[in-house]
Amino acid sequence: MKKLYYFTLFFMLLLCRMTSAQTKIVVLSDPHVMAPSLLVSEGSAWTEYLAGQRKLVDYSKPLFDEMIARIKDDIQPDLVLITGDLSKDGETVSHEYVVSKLNVLKDAGIKSLVIPGNHDRGSNANAVSYNGSTTTPVPTATNDWFATTYANYGYGASSDREATTLTYACEPVEGLMLIGVDSGTDGTVSATTLDWVCDKAAEAYATGKQVIAMMHHPLFPHFTGVDTFVETATVDNYATVRNRLADAGVKVVFTGHFHTSDIAKDYNADLSKDIYDVNTGSLISYPCDYRVVLLNSDLTQMDITTASITEITPGDGFSTTAKTRLSNSVKAQATAKGISYSLIADPLAQAFVFHAEGDEDESIGAQTLLTTYGPSLPEALKPLANSMLQDLSNYGDVDRQDKTADRILSITMPALTETITMAADGWSTYCTGRRLDLSKTDGVIGYIVSSTATNKVVLQQVSIVPANTGFIVNGTSTSYALHATDKAADDMSSNKLVGTLVATPAPTNTYVLSTQGGKAGFYPVQTGLSIPAHKAYLTVPGGARKLEIDGISTDIQTVTRSTQSGDRYYDLQGHQLMRPMKGVVITKGKSFISK
């Protein structure tokens, strides 16, 4: 088994060497570290606690030590993310042990960021020391204590904190915004916290950063009926959280809690944006997984590889012990639900082991199990079995059902530029979730509509356009790449254009930029027709046949038909000039006085 680890490690390191300037991230979850001092002496109290546990708490220290050693000596990433349940049950002494090991990575120049899980703070009946047949309660972490203790690991001055929870945002790698979402002890993200998270995500996305998130509870169900076994299998009100995060520009969320390595893809409300929940198994539950994530130089490609700790010392049979512990705990959990579940406890345990291993649809054993037991299952359990063993999230939902690889996966991240396709006449409207600096793109001039009258509109030139704002683009190429920026946007208070991020039914008195009969202007559209996504329109009462352009660009047709190479010059009426004339002249989007 050790050979398998080294082969996997070699493969991951080879990937690193093949691509320059990559960002390498290790993701692990649920180490549930128990400080050695909590086991004063073994006895019945400790034995009874371990009975039926799928968590290998008795191995938590050596497993965490082994993980830290691999990170420091072998993988050597730029960043480590731990998605909660760092401690066994919130004991301060266990957290202090975790921090002592993270300090080892810090001293080696490796950054680490954490987020709390449901076992990491507050009162917990299992937060005790064990001494023979007795247990003694020990101090547990509070929110304030947690933030102070992990000040170097997400809660320091370099992070922005949300006031009510342990949620934060930071930029651990230039151009990469990481948002750690505190999902509490029961998987709840309050409306206040969600608003804060989405504002931070949208702001980062708008300025051209990639945005990823991590939280403890899974973002959405990875198989149908999962809540039959685990009430907190997902974050509460998951559809709302999923939709909001996707709309704010979050493409990938790293989660834990469920102790299995499963990646699933879902979508926002209108299915226009996809979002991945990369759920990573527990370090102390079979198969003891962790992830290695590689981001390319411009952060637009994410490659995920999964590895496991299969032995702590050579030939110790640890992987078999871990697998048996998981199987036995699922059987016990099923039996406790009553006679109907107890009769199928064995196949349920086998199914969950296949699920924990991931990529169930590629497992001959998993498919044999489904074929053998699937037809005889109670009707209520068939969707669960089909969903789990065929690795189908949103099973039965034709619009959302998806099969995603669990252990090795490449994800294309959002592009860091916006590509606009120009209309044939060289004019187009646009709207995006990014703040754009038009001055970075040669050959482009941007405008807003600053005022409207019965038959006319006036254009105002702009350079830096805020996110979610409609504007006009003029150029002679068929398409342009527009660049995001963190510079302050131009004043748009006079802008009459309405931007659309999604297809929108046209309101009454809607006008769109178009060329009709060889004349460019704003023309009325029928109420209820759809304005395409990422476009802009005007709403002007009065019922005019068209709105001609007045002011800076009276004759759009003349301007846009020019294909002359080199600098272009215009007078204040928008007429193209063969050469600069005396007076105020416009070129490259700027005005100057020609003498």
Side-chain angles (χ1 to χ4, degrees), residues 12 16 21-29 67-68 70-72 74-83 101-102 104-106 108-115 150-155 158-159 168-180 210-214 252 254 280 290-295 299 302-303 305 413:
M12 292 186 291
C16 293
Q22 286 187 323
T23 296
K24 190 191 315 182
I25 304 172
V26 169
V27 181
L28 60 134
S29 191
M67 188 72 251
I68 294 297
R70 290 190 183 190
I71 292 170
K72 176 178 175 290
D74 299 332
I75 306 172
Q76 300 177 350
D78 302 286
L79 179 64
V80 175
L81 303 179
I82 307 181
T83 61
K101 304 305 288 187
L102 295 182
V104 172
L105 299 182
K106 179 174 174 288
I110 298 172
K111 300 176 185 178
S112 299
L113 296 171
V114 306
I115 199 73
Y150 288 96
N152 290 324
Y153 305 109
Y155 295 94
S158 61
S159 295
Y168 66 90
C170 64
E171 191 173 345
V173 176
E174 184 177 359
L176 179 68
M177 177 63 68
L178 181 282
I179 303 179
Q210 289 292 13
V211 188
I212 61 175
M214 67 172 177
V252 176
F254 293 101
T280 300
Y290 59 92
R291 313 272 197 184
V292 177
V293 179
L294 301 176
L295 285 164
L299 307 178
M302 176 182 288
D303 296 317
T305 303
M413 302 295 283

Coordinates of all heavy atoms in Angstrom, one line a residue, residues 12 16 21-29 67-68 70-72 74-83 101-102 104-106 108-115 150-155 158-159 168-180 210-214 252 254 280 290-295 299 302-303 305 413:
M12 N 1.5 13.3 -8.8 CA 1.1 14.7 -8.5 C 2.3 15.6 -8.7 O 2.2 16.7 -9.2 CB 0.6 14.8 -7.1 CG -0.8 14.1 -6.9 SD -1.5 14.3 -5.3 CE -0.4 13.4 -4.2
C16 N 3.1 18.8 -11.3 CA 3.6 20.1 -10.9 C 4.7 20.6 -11.8 O 4.8 21.7 -12.2 CB 4.1 20.1 -9.5 SG 2.8 19.8 -8.3
A21 N 4.7 27.9 -12.6 CA 4.0 28.9 -11.9 C 2.6 28.4 -11.4 O 1.7 29.2 -11.4 CB 3.9 30.2 -12.7
Q22 N 2.5 27.2 -11.1 CA 1.2 26.7 -10.6 C 1.1 27.0 -9.1 O 2.1 27.3 -8.4 CB 1.2 25.2 -10.7 CG 0.9 24.7 -12.1 CD 0.6 23.2 -12.1 OE1 1.3 22.4 -11.4 NE2 -0.2 22.8 -13.0
T23 N -0.1 27.1 -8.6 CA -0.4 27.2 -7.2 C -0.9 25.8 -6.8 O -1.8 25.2 -7.3 CB -1.5 28.2 -6.9 OG1 -1.0 29.5 -7.3 CG2 -1.9 28.2 -5.5
K24 N -0.2 25.3 -5.7 CA -0.6 23.9 -5.2 C -1.2 24.0 -3.9 O -0.7 24.7 -3.0 CB 0.7 23.1 -5.1 CG 0.4 21.6 -4.9 CD 1.6 20.8 -4.5 CE 2.8 21.1 -5.4 NZ 4.0 20.2 -5.0
I25 N -2.4 23.4 -3.7 CA -3.2 23.5 -2.5 C -3.4 22.0 -2.0 O -3.8 21.2 -2.8 CB -4.5 24.2 -2.7 CG1 -4.2 25.6 -3.3 CG2 -5.3 24.3 -1.4 CD1 -5.5 26.3 -3.7
V26 N -3.2 21.8 -0.7 CA -3.7 20.5 -0.1 C -4.9 20.8 0.7 O -5.0 21.8 1.4 CB -2.6 20.0 0.9 CG1 -3.2 18.8 1.7 CG2 -1.4 19.5 0.1
V27 N -5.9 20.0 0.4 CA -7.2 20.1 1.2 C -7.4 18.8 2.0 O -7.4 17.7 1.4 CB -8.4 20.3 0.2 CG1 -9.7 20.4 1.0 CG2 -8.2 21.5 -0.7
L28 N -7.7 19.0 3.3 CA -8.0 17.9 4.1 C -9.2 18.3 5.0 O -9.5 19.5 5.2 CB -6.9 17.4 4.9 CG -6.2 18.4 5.9 CD1 -6.0 17.7 7.3 CD2 -4.9 18.8 5.4
S29 N -9.8 17.3 5.6 CA -11.0 17.6 6.4 C -11.2 16.6 7.5 O -10.6 15.5 7.5 CB -12.3 17.6 5.5 OG -13.4 18.1 6.2
M67 N 0.1 13.2 8.1 CA -0.3 14.2 7.1 C 0.5 15.4 7.1 O 0.9 15.9 6.0 CB -1.8 14.6 7.4 CG -2.4 15.4 6.4 SD -2.8 14.5 4.9 CE -1.6 15.1 3.7
I68 N 0.9 15.9 8.3 CA 1.8 17.1 8.4 C 3.1 16.8 7.8 O 3.7 17.6 7.0 CB 1.9 17.5 9.8 CG1 0.6 18.0 10.4 CG2 3.0 18.6 9.9 CD1 0.0 19.2 9.7
R70 N 3.8 14.6 5.4 CA 3.7 14.5 3.9 C 3.6 15.9 3.3 O 4.2 16.2 2.3 CB 2.4 13.7 3.6 CG 2.5 12.2 3.8 CD 1.3 11.5 3.2 NE 1.4 10.1 3.6 CZ 0.6 9.1 3.0 NH1 -0.3 9.5 2.1 NH2 0.7 7.9 3.3
I71 N 2.9 16.8 4.0 CA 2.7 18.1 3.4 C 4.1 18.8 3.5 O 4.5 19.4 2.5 CB 1.7 18.9 4.3 CG1 0.3 18.3 4.1 CG2 1.7 20.4 3.9 CD1 -0.8 18.9 5.0
K72 N 4.8 18.7 4.6 CA 6.0 19.5 4.8 C 7.2 18.9 3.9 O 7.9 19.6 3.2 CB 6.4 19.5 6.2 CG 7.8 20.1 6.5 CD 8.1 20.1 8.0 CE 9.5 20.6 8.3 NZ 10.5 19.6 7.9
D74 N 7.1 16.1 1.5 CA 6.8 15.6 0.2 C 6.1 16.5 -0.8 O 6.5 16.8 -1.9 CB 6.1 14.2 0.3 CG 6.9 13.2 1.1 OD1 8.1 13.3 1.1 OD2 6.3 12.3 1.7
I75 N 4.9 16.9 -0.3 CA 4.0 17.7 -1.3 C 4.4 19.1 -1.4 O 4.4 19.7 -2.5 CB 2.5 17.6 -0.8 CG1 2.1 16.1 -0.6 CG2 1.6 18.2 -1.8 CD1 0.8 15.9 0.1
Q76 N 4.8 19.7 -0.3 CA 5.3 21.1 -0.2 C 4.4 22.1 -1.0 O 4.8 22.7 -2.0 CB 6.7 21.2 -0.8 CG 7.7 20.3 0.0 CD 9.1 20.3 -0.5 OE1 9.3 20.8 -1.7 NE2 10.0 19.8 0.2
P77 N 3.1 22.2 -0.6 CA 2.2 23.1 -1.3 C 2.4 24.5 -0.9 O 3.2 24.9 0.0 CB 0.8 22.6 -0.8 CG 1.1 22.2 0.6 CD 2.5 21.6 0.6
D78 N 1.7 25.4 -1.7 CA 1.6 26.8 -1.3 C 0.6 27.1 -0.2 O 0.8 28.1 0.5 CB 1.2 27.6 -2.6 CG 2.2 27.4 -3.7 OD1 3.3 27.9 -3.7 OD2 1.8 26.7 -4.7
L79 N -0.4 26.2 -0.1 CA -1.5 26.5 0.8 C -2.1 25.2 1.3 O -2.2 24.2 0.5 CB -2.5 27.4 0.1 CG -3.8 27.8 0.8 CD1 -3.5 28.7 2.0 CD2 -4.7 28.5 -0.1
V80 N -2.5 25.2 2.5 CA -3.3 24.0 3.1 C -4.6 24.6 3.6 O -4.7 25.6 4.2 CB -2.5 23.4 4.3 CG1 -3.4 22.3 4.9 CG2 -1.2 22.8 3.8
L81 N -5.7 23.9 3.2 CA -7.1 24.2 3.6 C -7.6 23.0 4.5 O -7.5 21.9 4.0 CB -8.0 24.4 2.4 CG -7.6 25.5 1.4 CD1 -8.6 25.6 0.3 CD2 -7.4 26.9 2.1
I82 N -8.1 23.3 5.6 CA -8.7 22.3 6.5 C -10.2 22.7 6.7 O -10.5 23.7 7.3 CB -8.0 22.1 7.8 CG1 -6.5 21.9 7.6 CG2 -8.6 20.9 8.6 CD1 -5.7 21.7 8.9
T83 N -11.1 21.9 6.2 CA -12.5 22.3 6.2 C -13.3 21.8 7.4 O -14.4 21.3 7.3 CB -13.2 21.8 4.9 OG1 -13.1 20.3 4.9 CG2 -12.5 22.3 3.7
K101 N 1.1 21.7 15.3 CA 1.5 21.1 14.0 C 1.4 22.0 12.8 O 2.2 22.0 11.9 CB 0.7 19.8 13.7 CG 0.8 18.8 14.9 CD 2.2 18.4 15.2 CE 2.8 17.5 14.2 NZ 4.2 17.0 14.6
L102 N 0.4 22.9 12.8 CA 0.3 23.9 11.8 C 1.5 24.9 11.9 O 1.9 25.4 10.9 CB -1.0 24.7 11.9 CG -2.3 23.8 11.6 CD1 -3.5 24.7 11.7 CD2 -2.2 23.1 10.3
V104 N 4.4 24.0 12.5 CA 5.5 23.4 11.8 C 5.5 23.7 10.4 O 6.5 24.0 9.7 CB 5.5 21.8 12.0 CG1 6.5 21.1 11.2 CG2 5.7 21.5 13.5
L105 N 4.3 23.7 9.8 CA 4.1 24.1 8.4 C 4.5 25.6 8.2 O 5.1 26.0 7.2 CB 2.7 23.8 7.9 CG 2.3 22.3 8.0 CD1 0.9 22.2 7.4 CD2 3.2 21.4 7.2
K106 N 4.0 26.4 9.1 CA 4.2 27.8 9.0 C 5.7 28.1 9.0 O 6.2 28.9 8.2 CB 3.5 28.5 10.2 CG 3.7 30.0 10.2 CD 2.9 30.6 11.3 CE 3.2 32.1 11.5 NZ 4.5 32.4 12.1
A108 N 7.9 26.3 7.9 CA 8.5 25.8 6.7 C 8.0 26.6 5.5 O 8.3 26.3 4.3 CB 8.1 24.3 6.4
G109 N 7.3 27.7 5.8 CA 6.9 28.6 4.7 C 5.6 28.2 4.0 O 5.3 28.7 2.9
I110 N 4.8 27.3 4.7 CA 3.6 26.8 4.1 C 2.4 27.4 4.8 O 2.2 27.3 6.0 CB 3.5 25.3 4.1 CG1 4.6 24.7 3.3 CG2 2.1 24.8 3.6 CD1 4.8 23.2 3.5
K111 N 1.5 28.2 4.1 CA 0.3 28.8 4.6 C -0.7 27.7 4.9 O -0.9 26.8 4.1 CB -0.2 29.9 3.7 CG 0.7 31.0 3.4 CD 0.1 31.9 2.4 CE 1.0 33.0 1.9 NZ 0.4 33.9 0.9
S112 N -1.5 28.0 6.0 CA -2.6 27.1 6.3 C -3.8 28.0 6.7 O -3.7 29.0 7.3 CB -2.3 26.1 7.4 OG -1.3 25.3 7.1
L113 N -5.0 27.6 6.2 CA -6.2 28.2 6.6 C -7.2 27.2 7.1 O -7.3 26.1 6.5 CB -6.8 29.0 5.4 CG -6.0 30.2 4.9 CD1 -6.5 30.7 3.5 CD2 -5.9 31.3 5.9
V114 N -8.0 27.5 8.1 CA -9.0 26.6 8.7 C -10.3 27.2 8.8 O -10.5 28.4 8.7 CB -8.5 26.1 10.1 CG1 -7.1 25.5 10.0 CG2 -8.6 27.2 11.1
I115 N -11.3 26.4 9.0 CA -12.7 26.8 9.3 C -13.2 25.8 10.3 O -12.9 24.6 10.3 CB -13.6 26.9 8.0 CG1 -14.8 27.7 8.2 CG2 -13.9 25.5 7.5 CD1 -14.5 29.2 8.2
Y150 N -6.4 30.5 16.4 CA -6.1 30.3 15.0 C -5.8 31.6 14.2 O -6.1 31.7 13.0 CB -7.2 29.5 14.3 CG -7.3 28.1 14.7 CD1 -8.1 27.6 15.7 CD2 -6.4 27.1 14.1 CE1 -8.2 26.3 16.1 CE2 -6.5 25.8 14.5 CZ -7.4 25.4 15.5 OH -7.4 24.1 15.9
A151 N -5.3 32.6 15.0 CA -5.0 33.9 14.4 C -4.1 33.8 13.2 O -4.2 34.6 12.2 CB -4.4 34.8 15.5
N152 N -3.2 32.9 13.2 CA -2.3 32.7 12.0 C -2.8 31.9 10.9 O -2.2 31.7 9.9 CB -1.0 32.1 12.5 CG -0.1 33.1 13.4 OD1 -0.1 34.3 13.1 ND2 0.5 32.5 14.4
Y153 N -4.1 31.4 11.1 CA -4.6 30.4 10.2 C -6.0 30.8 9.7 O -6.9 30.0 9.6 CB -4.6 29.0 10.8 CG -3.2 28.7 11.3 CD1 -2.8 28.7 12.6 CD2 -2.2 28.5 10.3 CE1 -1.5 28.5 13.0 CE2 -0.8 28.3 10.7 CZ -0.5 28.3 12.1 OH 0.8 28.1 12.4
G154 N -6.2 32.1 9.4 CA -7.4 32.6 8.8 C -8.0 33.7 9.6 O -8.9 34.5 9.1
Y155 N -7.6 33.9 10.8 CA -8.3 34.9 11.7 C -7.4 36.0 12.1 O -7.7 36.7 13.2 CB -8.9 34.1 12.9 CG -10.0 33.1 12.5 CD1 -9.7 31.8 12.2 CD2 -11.3 33.6 12.2 CE1 -10.7 30.9 11.8 CE2 -12.3 32.7 11.8 CZ -11.9 31.4 11.5 OH -12.9 30.5 11.1
S158 N -4.8 39.9 8.3 CA -4.9 39.9 6.8 C -6.2 39.5 6.3 O -6.5 39.5 5.1 CB -3.8 39.0 6.3 OG -4.0 37.7 6.7
S159 N -7.2 39.1 7.2 CA -8.5 38.6 6.8 C -9.5 39.6 7.1 O -9.4 40.3 8.1 CB -8.8 37.3 7.4 OG -7.9 36.2 7.0
Y168 N -14.8 34.4 7.3 CA -13.8 35.4 6.9 C -13.5 35.3 5.4 O -13.9 34.3 4.7 CB -12.5 35.2 7.7 CG -11.8 33.9 7.5 CD1 -10.8 33.8 6.5 CD2 -12.1 32.7 8.2 CE1 -10.2 32.6 6.2 CE2 -11.4 31.5 8.0 CZ -10.5 31.5 7.0 OH -9.8 30.3 6.8
A169 N -12.8 36.3 4.9 CA -12.3 36.3 3.5 C -10.9 36.8 3.5 O -10.5 37.7 4.3 CB -13.2 37.2 2.7
C170 N -10.1 36.2 2.7 CA -8.7 36.6 2.5 C -8.2 36.2 1.1 O -8.8 35.5 0.4 CB -7.8 36.0 3.6 SG -7.7 34.2 3.5
E171 N -7.0 36.7 0.8 CA -6.4 36.5 -0.5 C -5.0 35.8 -0.2 O -4.0 36.5 -0.3 CB -6.2 37.8 -1.3 CG -5.8 37.6 -2.7 CD -5.9 38.9 -3.5 OE1 -6.4 39.9 -3.1 OE2 -5.3 38.9 -4.7
P172 N -5.0 34.5 0.0 CA -3.8 33.8 0.4 C -2.8 33.7 -0.8 O -1.6 33.6 -0.6 CB -4.2 32.4 0.8 CG -5.5 32.2 0.1 CD -6.2 33.6 0.0
V173 N -3.3 33.8 -2.0 CA -2.5 33.7 -3.2 C -3.0 34.9 -4.1 O -4.2 35.1 -4.2 CB -2.7 32.4 -4.0 CG1 -1.9 32.4 -5.3 CG2 -2.2 31.2 -3.1
E174 N -2.0 35.6 -4.6 CA -2.4 36.8 -5.4 C -3.4 36.4 -6.5 O -3.2 35.5 -7.3 CB -1.2 37.4 -6.1 CG -1.5 38.7 -6.8 CD -0.3 39.4 -7.4 OE1 0.8 38.9 -7.2 OE2 -0.5 40.4 -8.1
G175 N -4.6 37.1 -6.5 CA -5.6 36.8 -7.5 C -6.6 35.8 -7.1 O -7.5 35.5 -7.8
L176 N -6.4 35.1 -5.9 CA -7.3 34.1 -5.5 C -7.9 34.5 -4.2 O -7.3 34.6 -3.1 CB -6.5 32.7 -5.3 CG -7.4 31.5 -4.8 CD1 -8.4 31.1 -5.9 CD2 -6.5 30.4 -4.4
M177 N -9.2 34.7 -4.2 CA -10.0 35.0 -2.9 C -10.6 33.8 -2.3 O -11.3 33.0 -3.0 CB -11.1 36.0 -3.3 CG -12.0 36.4 -2.1 SD -11.1 37.3 -0.8 CE -10.7 38.8 -1.6
L178 N -10.2 33.5 -1.1 CA -10.8 32.4 -0.3 C -11.7 32.9 0.7 O -11.4 33.8 1.5 CB -9.6 31.6 0.3 CG -9.9 30.3 1.1 CD1 -10.4 30.6 2.5 CD2 -10.8 29.4 0.4
I179 N -12.9 32.3 0.7 CA -13.9 32.7 1.7 C -14.2 31.5 2.6 O -14.7 30.4 2.1 CB -15.2 33.2 1.1 CG1 -14.9 34.4 0.2 CG2 -16.2 33.6 2.1 CD1 -16.1 35.0 -0.5
G180 N -13.9 31.6 3.9 CA -14.2 30.5 4.8 C -15.6 30.8 5.4 O -15.7 31.8 6.1
Q210 N -10.2 35.1 -8.9 CA -10.9 33.9 -8.8 C -11.4 33.7 -7.4 O -10.7 34.1 -6.4 CB -10.0 32.7 -9.2 CG -9.7 32.6 -10.6 CD -10.9 32.2 -11.5 OE1 -12.0 32.2 -11.1 NE2 -10.6 31.8 -12.7
V211 N -12.6 33.1 -7.2 CA -13.2 33.0 -5.9 C -13.5 31.6 -5.6 O -14.2 30.9 -6.4 CB -14.5 33.9 -5.8 CG1 -14.9 33.9 -4.3 CG2 -14.3 35.3 -6.3
I212 N -12.9 31.1 -4.5 CA -13.3 29.7 -4.0 C -13.8 29.9 -2.6 O -13.5 30.9 -1.9 CB -12.1 28.7 -4.1 CG1 -10.9 29.2 -3.3 CG2 -11.7 28.5 -5.6 CD1 -9.8 28.1 -3.2
A213 N -14.5 28.9 -2.1 CA -15.0 28.9 -0.7 C -14.7 27.6 0.0 O -14.5 26.6 -0.7 CB -16.5 29.3 -0.7
M214 N -14.7 27.6 1.3 CA -14.7 26.4 2.0 C -15.6 26.5 3.2 O -15.8 27.6 3.8 CB -13.3 26.0 2.5 CG -12.7 26.9 3.5 SD -11.1 26.2 4.1 CE -10.5 27.4 5.2
V252 N -16.2 26.8 -7.0 CA -15.8 25.6 -6.3 C -15.9 25.9 -4.8 O -15.5 26.9 -4.3 CB -14.4 25.2 -6.6 CG1 -14.0 24.0 -5.8 CG2 -14.3 24.8 -8.1
F254 N -15.1 23.8 -1.2 CA -14.5 22.7 -0.5 C -15.2 22.4 0.8 O -15.3 23.4 1.6 CB -13.0 22.9 -0.3 CG -12.2 22.9 -1.5 CD1 -11.8 24.2 -2.1 CD2 -11.9 21.8 -2.2 CE1 -11.0 24.2 -3.2 CE2 -11.1 21.8 -3.4 CZ -10.7 23.0 -3.9
T280 N -14.5 16.4 0.8 CA -13.3 15.6 1.1 C -13.5 14.7 2.3 O -14.0 15.2 3.4 CB -12.1 16.5 1.3 OG1 -11.9 17.3 0.1 CG2 -10.8 15.7 1.6
Y290 N -7.2 12.7 1.3 CA -6.9 14.2 1.2 C -6.8 14.5 -0.3 O -6.6 13.6 -1.1 CB -5.7 14.6 2.0 CG -4.4 13.9 1.6 CD1 -3.5 14.5 0.6 CD2 -4.0 12.7 2.1 CE1 -2.4 13.8 0.2 CE2 -2.8 12.0 1.7 CZ -2.0 12.6 0.8 OH -0.9 12.0 0.4
R291 N -6.9 15.8 -0.6 CA -6.8 16.3 -2.0 C -5.6 17.1 -2.2 O -5.1 17.8 -1.3 CB -8.0 17.1 -2.3 CG -9.4 16.6 -1.9 CD -10.0 15.7 -2.9 NE -11.5 15.6 -2.6 CZ -12.2 14.8 -3.3 NH1 -11.7 14.1 -4.3 NH2 -13.5 14.7 -3.0
V292 N -5.1 17.0 -3.4 CA -4.0 17.9 -3.9 C -4.6 18.6 -5.1 O -5.1 18.0 -6.1 CB -2.7 17.2 -4.3 CG1 -1.7 18.2 -4.9 CG2 -2.1 16.5 -3.1
V293 N -4.7 20.0 -5.0 CA -5.3 20.8 -6.0 C -4.2 21.7 -6.7 O -3.5 22.3 -6.0 CB -6.4 21.7 -5.4 CG1 -7.0 22.6 -6.4 CG2 -7.4 20.9 -4.7
L294 N -4.2 21.7 -8.0 CA -3.3 22.5 -8.8 C -4.0 23.5 -9.6 O -5.0 23.2 -10.3 CB -2.4 21.6 -9.7 CG -1.6 20.5 -9.1 CD1 -0.9 19.7 -10.1 CD2 -0.6 21.1 -8.1
L295 N -3.7 24.8 -9.4 CA -4.2 25.8 -10.2 C -3.1 26.3 -11.2 O -2.0 26.6 -10.8 CB -4.7 27.0 -9.3 CG -6.0 26.8 -8.5 CD1 -6.1 27.8 -7.4 CD2 -7.2 26.8 -9.5
L299 N -4.8 30.9 -13.0 CA -5.9 30.5 -12.1 C -7.2 30.1 -12.8 O -8.2 30.1 -12.2 CB -6.2 31.5 -11.0 CG -5.0 32.1 -10.2 CD1 -5.4 33.2 -9.2 CD2 -4.3 31.0 -9.4
M302 N -8.3 24.2 -12.7 CA -8.1 23.5 -11.4 C -8.1 22.0 -11.7 O -9.0 21.5 -12.2 CB -9.3 23.9 -10.4 CG -9.2 23.1 -9.1 SD -10.5 23.5 -8.0 CE -10.1 25.2 -7.5
D303 N -7.0 21.4 -11.2 CA -6.8 20.0 -11.4 C -6.8 19.4 -10.0 O -5.9 19.7 -9.1 CB -5.6 19.6 -12.1 CG -5.6 20.1 -13.6 OD1 -6.7 19.9 -14.2 OD2 -4.6 20.6 -14.0
T305 N -6.5 16.0 -7.6 CA -6.1 14.6 -7.4 C -6.3 14.2 -5.9 O -6.1 15.0 -5.0 CB -4.6 14.4 -7.8 OG1 -4.4 14.9 -9.1 CG2 -4.2 12.9 -7.7
M413 N -12.2 27.0 -14.5 CA -12.6 28.2 -13.7 C -13.1 29.3 -14.6 O -12.8 29.3 -15.8 CB -11.5 28.6 -12.8 CG -11.0 27.5 -11.9 SD -12.2 26.9 -10.7 CE -12.1 28.3 -9.5

